[in-house]
Amino acid sequence: MIPLSHAVARRKLLQWFASAGLGPAIGSKLVADEVGAAKGARELQPTPVEDRPHYPAFLRDGQVIQPERPLPVFRETDVLVVGGGAAGFAAAVSAARAGVKTMLVERYGYLGGLWTGGIVLVVISTHATQNGDLTQVVRGIGGDLMDRLAKVQPGIVNYEPGKHNPTSDPEATKFMMDQMITEAGVDIAFHCWATDVIMEGNTIRGVVFDSKAGRQAILAKVVIDTTGDGDIFAAAGAEHEQRLHAIGLVHRIGNVDRVDKDKLAQAGLKQMGSIEPLPSVRWVNLRGPSTNGLDIAELTRLEIEHRKAIWERVQKIRATPGGEDVYLMQVAPQLGVRTTRLLAGTHQLTYQESREPRTFPDTVAIGGAQNGKHAGWPIPYGVLLPKKLDGLLTAGRSSCVDEKLVEDMRLIASCLTTGHAAGAAAALAVKDNCTPRDVDIAKLQALLKEQGAYLG
Ligand SMILES: Cc1cc2nc3c(=O)[nH]c(=O)nc-3n(C[C@H](O)[C@H](O)[C@H](O)COP(=O)(O)OP(=O)(O)OC[C@H]3O[C@@H](n4cnc5c(N)ncnc54)[C@H](O)[C@@H]3O)c2cc1C
């Protein structure tokens, strides 16, 4: 054991190194292995057992009853973003950059949602053909993120002008999102699963969440539901619809530079997967059956069945002459749920509207074209705004579109731009002391442009 005075001096020295950018912060010590690693003065010291009141559920007449109980308020904030996927990330950065107190809660331990945890990686529809020119429509927060990824290795491929479907490295994306969100001053809480809402009449006043520290509340002036599945607007009783969609599981295979393509082709194995920033690694999508992404039994069944199919596919490649060196590098830690709940917004944007030349007075983002070839489609603010409830917005894959436009709206690009719009709108509502329904659209569009967004 290091004597305490030495330990304090060492900690101070390391703190100084960290603040000078010369080494890892305390607690981020990289170790070669676990043997003999617990030498630090703080490790394994006893800490007081948390003393919190208990309100266990109980059985009454065969029913499980949850008793009434006061909840500790974890934070009070201006804007609360629930869910840190592409949409939630952009919303939180936008709101914080606009100067309001912003908090983000995320059930997992990283940002990016399906993009990073679902290993989706390929950012389709970043561009559209505007007035005859191929134009980048994902700018602002999403553009900033991709620009930063383009400056690191391995960060993003196919992001150069004229190329399609930029594909980012999941770890670089998570890291860069952490950087941007902390730089913006967002108060972030990982490992917190929002489970309920706090209502005052027709207005949402915050959320209830569960974590290892028990059940707590966060109060907010505006809440943005970017859970992807509309967990918050559904709990608040907002009108919405629910859809089935294909549920898949993405995986990555390694050592693809070592395969003998000709031999594999002779055996009928032509496609290894798509290119991604890591050398010798390929990304493999899996579509899966169309089913209910809110059904626990289905989610469990598909995790097991998809993982089996992936394992067997890679074993088959390895058993084929020419593919012996390929290995299964990673199966996405998050199941690929494409669509579940869609908000009933004040404007349901239809596929037809998106393919006709038009604009809306409340355009807050421009959707891209999957092949870059058609024009960008204006996205009105109404797709983010519930019909009746106040204090609440959504963005990303749960936005209000018709069945056919889901396929465009759920792409990462549209999630980034609608998230950006929701964050800016929430910030403006806080600043102007009004509900998101009443924000001044001209001011919102001006704020979005100031933050670099492309509105056509
Ligand atoms: C298999 C598959 C392949 C795809 N391929 C492509 C592709 O090639 N290109 C493309 O552009 N798009 C693709 N997509 C679509 C795209 O990846 C997603 O639609 C998009 O990333 C969704 O972003 P989001 O922020 O709206 O939601 P999500 O990424 O789902 O983010 C929601 C976040 O909220 C968190 N969360 C959820 N519930 C709670 C809660 N109750 N409390 C706290 N946190 C919560 C989640 O952990 C997550 O971080 C694909 C999707 C799938 C499933």
Side-chain angles (χ1 to χ4, degrees), residues 215-238:
R215 176 166 277 215
Q216 299 179 75
I218 299 171
L219 296 173
K221 292 177 185 155
V222 179
V223 177
I224 305 177
D225 180 348
T226 40
T227 60
D229 295 315
D231 290 7
I232 303 304
F233 65 66

Side-chain angles (χ1 to χ4, degrees), residues 140-377:
I141 314 295
D144 184 356
L145 173 58
M146 286 189 288
D147 288 348
R148 291 181 190 220
L149 285 169
K151 290 189 186 122
V152 295
Q153 285 295 336
I156 192 163
V157 289
N158 290 342
Y159 185 52
E160 302 83 13
K163 296 224 168 156
H164 283 305
N165 301 344
T167 303
S168 73
D169 177 77
E171 296 310 320
T173 311
K174 287 180 200 167
F175 169 76
M176 222 44 99
M177 285 177 149
D178 284 348
Q179 297 287 298
M180 285 176 65
I181 212 133
T182 42
E183 264 173 40
V186 176
D187 182 9
I188 179 158
F190 284 133
H191 304 292
C192 294
W193 189 306
T195 46
D196 212 343
V197 289
I198 303 157
M199 299 299 290
E200 214 169 41
N202 215 24
T203 304
I204 188 166
R205 292 280 290 112
V207 305
V208 173
F209 70 97
D210 282 287
S211 74
K212 290 287 177 188
R215 176 166 277 215
Q216 299 179 75
I218 299 171
L219 296 173
K221 292 177 185 155
V222 179
V223 177
I224 305 177
D225 180 348
T226 40
T227 60
D229 295 315
D231 290 7
I232 303 304
F233 65 66
E239 195 184 319
H240 64 275
E241 58 173 310
Q242 200 173 315
R243 290 194 174 270
L244 308 181
H245 205 313
I247 298 182
L249 188 62
V250 175
H251 69 278
R252 306 160 90 192
I253 52 176
N255 255 353
V256 292
D257 286 355
R258 297 218 198 154
V259 301
D260 185 325
K261 282 187 192 150
D262 295 336
K263 276 194 191 168
L264 279 178
Q266 278 167 21
L269 283 171
K270 288 190 185 136
Q271 251 288 32
M272 281 284 114
S274 307
I275 188 162
E276 56 160 284
L278 285 185
S280 205
V281 174
R282 289 290 178 274
W283 174 89
V284 189
N285 200 358
L286 185 159
R287 200 149 174 91
S290 188
T291 183
N292 182 359
L294 303 176
D295 181 323
I296 305 169
E298 280 297 79
L299 297 175
T300 308
R301 175 177 76 87
L302 290 176
E303 285 278 9
I304 293 169
E305 284 183 8
H306 287 343
R307 234 183 337 257
K308 179 170 182 282
I310 290 166
W311 177 261
E312 287 173 356
R313 173 182 185 260
V314 178
Q315 291 303 316
K316 192 176 156 199
I317 300 173
R318 287 172 60 85
T320 308
E324 295 87 345
D325 289 341
V326 160
Y327 62 89
L328 178 59
M329 185 179 138
Q330 185 183 26
V331 175
Q334 260 176 260
L335 193 66
V337 175
R338 289 177 167 87
T339 300
T340 54
R341 299 189 189 99
L342 299 174
L343 179 73
T346 59
H347 185 148
Q348 187 190 47
L349 188 63
T350 64
Y351 179 82
Q352 187 164 349
E353 282 176 313
S354 79
R355 295 302 190 268
E356 291 168 359
R358 68 169 66 235
T359 184
F360 298 106
D362 61 342
T363 295
V364 287
I366 302 290
Q370 294 200 19
N371 52 12
K373 283 188 183 146
H374 63 77
W377 39 285

